[in-house]
Amino acid sequence: MAPWRRAAAAALLLAGSALAAHADEVPTIRVELNDGVINTKRIEVPAGQRFRVEVVNKGKTPAEFESLPLGLELVVAPGVTRTRVLPGKSAGTYPFFDEFHMSTTQG
């Protein structure tokens, strides 16, 4: 392999490593739903910081994690995990719920 190709390949590997490391720096908030039961009623993240929401459906019925103020809606089949990275938000309160089980999953 020509020296300039090795240098280009090494630069691409370094760039890819930097992007992967940056992606891992996003904090992950895990929410578990289980047939009308939610594992957390409150999620806290620093204002202005990107974060990842990981929604796990441990139940036997579909779930729909939703937050209108966050602009997030994830339908999650039984036994499935879905994630979404959200941009930083202003300080405040952002309600969320499982739309398929609204009476028991307000957060």
Side-chain angles (χ1 to χ4, degrees), residues 3-99:
W4 67 271
R5 285 191 178 172
R6 275 189 295 236
L12 286 175
L13 284 174
L14 288 174
S17 297
L19 288 175
H22 181 68
D24 290 339
E25 293 173 12
V26 176
T28 298
I29 307 303
R30 182 180 172 102
V31 177
E32 293 178 3
L33 301 169
N34 190 346
D35 296 325
V37 177
I38 190 168
N39 74 328
T40 185
K41 299 286 185 181
R42 184 176 178 88
I43 296 170
E44 291 187 33
V45 295
Q49 181 177 356
R50 289 176 8 135
F51 62 99
R52 177 181 298 111
V53 176
E54 178 181 77
V55 180
V56 180
N57 184 352
K58 293 192 164 213
K60 294 180 175 26
T61 61
E64 182 178 355
F65 182 87
E66 186 166 343
S67 175
L68 298 175
L70 289 176
L72 179 60
E73 181 177 12
L74 293 173
V75 175
V76 188
V80 172
T81 299
R82 295 199 53 203
T83 61
R84 178 85 37 89
V85 175
L86 297 175
K89 302 292 182 182
S90 299
T93 301
Y94 299 86
F96 58 89
F97 51 89
D98 174 356
E99 188 169 15

